[in-house]
Amino acid sequence: MNFKALQKKIRQLLKEKNAILLAHNYQRPEIQDVADLTGDSLGLSLEAAKTEAEIIVFCGVHFMAETASIVCPDKVVLLPVISAGCPLADMITAPALAQKKAQYPGVPVVSYVNSPASVKAESDICCTSANAVQVVNSLVKDDTVLMTPDKNLAHYAQRHTDKEILCWEGFCTYHDSLAPEQVMMVKRDHPHALLLAHPECRPAVINLADEVKSTSGMLDYVRRSPAKEFIIATETGIIHTLETQNPDKIFIPADERMVCTDMKKIHLDDIVHALVTQSPVIKVEEDTRVKAYRAVERMLEVPRD
Ligand code: SF4
C-alpha cells in the first residue's frame, strides 16, 4: 500500500477503535501528517489525557509512551515499534540514581522527562527542555540540585541560576555530536539566518545560538518571528513541521546527519499493525506510576515565566 492508502486505513482504524494518534515532532513526515496531534513528549500526553479516546498510539520512543501511561492510566498506550528507545534515557537507571542520591543526601533530584518511568519515580520533580531553568529556580530552599540525565541541559540551566547544579553525565547522541565548527560553517553560508539551538546541544553550540529553545519553543518562536531564514540545531524531523506551518520561511538543518534512528523506526504499516493487534502495550506498574506522576505534577505546579 502507498502512503495515502495506509494513512486512510489508519484514520479508519483510529475511528473504529476510539483511538488517538500522537506523533512527536521528530517523527517521519508521513506519520506527522496522519496524526491527531504533533508536539513534544509531555505536551502530547497532557493533551491526550483531555480526550475521550480509549487508546493512545504513541509515535515516539519508549520513555514517551511510558509518560503517556503515567499521565493517562485509564487509557491503553501502544508504541508501534517496541525497540524504539532513547539512548539518552538509557544512560540512567533507578538503582544508579539511588546510589548517587545516597552520596548527596538531601539534594533534590530534577529529572528531564527524557528518562525512564522508574527514574522519574526516584526524582523529586521532572522538567522539560522548555522549563528546566524555572524548575531548578523553583526549588527555593535548596542551594544545590542534581539534574539527570542530560548533562547539556544541566549546563544550560546552570547559566541561568545561582544554584550549584550537579549533573548526570548523560547526553543525546545526536544533539551532543553537533560540532561548533559545523554550525559555524552553516552560519557562514547563511549569514542572515537566525540559529535556533536545542538545549541538548553542547555548550559550545549554545554559545553560537541566537535563541535556545525546546522543540515547541522553536515552533512558537518561528511562528511569531519576522525573520525569514533559520538554522535549526535539533533533530531534522522538526523541519517538516516548521515548513508546513511556515511556508514563507526557509529552514536549514545545522547538520543533516542529526537524524535519530530510534525516532525513525516507526513506519505507517507499524501503526496499522499496532491498531489491529492492539499491541505492543506500554503500561507502567502502578506503584512506579504514582511516584513518577507526583514528580510530573510538581513540575506542572511551577509557574511559567
Ligand atoms: Fe533520545 Fe536524542 Fe533520539 Fe530524542 S533525539 S529520542 S533525546 S536519542
Side-chain angles (χ1 to χ4, degrees), residues 26 61 63 85-88 114 172-175 200 235 260 263:
Y26 299 161
V61 296
F63 79 79
C86 167
L88 167 60
N114 298 28
C172 164
T173 329
Y174 306 96
H175 287 86
E200 287 174 23
E235 212 272 356
C260 173
M263 276 287 183

Side-chain angles (χ1 to χ4, degrees), residues 87-238:
L88 167 60
D90 290 346
M91 289 179 191
I92 187 166
T93 62
L97 176 57
Q99 226 173 13
K100 189 68 130 187
K101 281 168 69 174
Q103 285 172 29
Y104 299 100
V107 171
V109 178
V110 177
S111 282
Y112 188 23
V113 284
N114 298 28
S115 58
S118 54
V119 166
K120 290 184 179 77
E122 278 283 330
S123 305
D124 294 276
I125 187 166
C126 284
C127 74
T128 66
S129 51
N131 67 12
V133 173
Q134 290 94 324
V135 167
V136 167
N137 285 329
S138 76
L139 301 168
V140 285
K141 292 195 204 120
D142 304 284
D143 296 331
T144 307
V145 303
L146 170 62
M147 271 190 90
T148 85
D150 187 30
K151 64 176 179 181
N152 289 328
L153 183 62
H155 289 148
Y156 174 67
Q158 185 66 82
R159 296 175 186 227
H160 301 279
T161 184
D162 294 333
K163 297 179 193 299
E164 183 192 3
I165 299 184
L166 308 171
C167 63
W168 197 268
E169 288 296 317
F171 54 89
C172 164
T173 329
Y174 306 96
H175 287 86
D176 192 68
S177 63
L178 178 62
E181 296 76 14
Q182 160 73 21
V183 175
M184 284 192 293
M185 196 178 76
V186 179
K187 271 170 82 86
R188 264 198 306 275
D189 291 347
H190 302 276
H192 303 299
L194 289 181
L195 172 65
L196 308 187
H198 194 281
E200 287 174 23
C201 293
R202 287 189 222 168
V205 170
I206 297 295
N207 289 343
L208 300 170
D210 293 292
E211 295 288 336
V212 180
K213 298 280 177 196
S214 64
T215 53
S216 308
M218 282 186 195
L219 293 169
D220 196 44
Y221 182 85
V222 167
R223 210 178 298 126
R224 294 161 189 264
S225 171
K228 291 286 175 208
E229 218 180 327
F230 302 86
I231 300 166
I232 303 297
T234 190
E235 212 272 356
T236 57
I238 198 174

Side-chain angles (χ1 to χ4, degrees), residues 25-45:
N25 292 319
Y26 299 161
Q27 288 288 296
R28 294 174 182 278
E30 64 275 18
I31 291 179
Q32 294 192 35
D33 291 345
V34 73
D36 291 290
L37 295 170
T38 57
D40 59 33
S41 61
L42 182 66
L44 285 171
S45 294

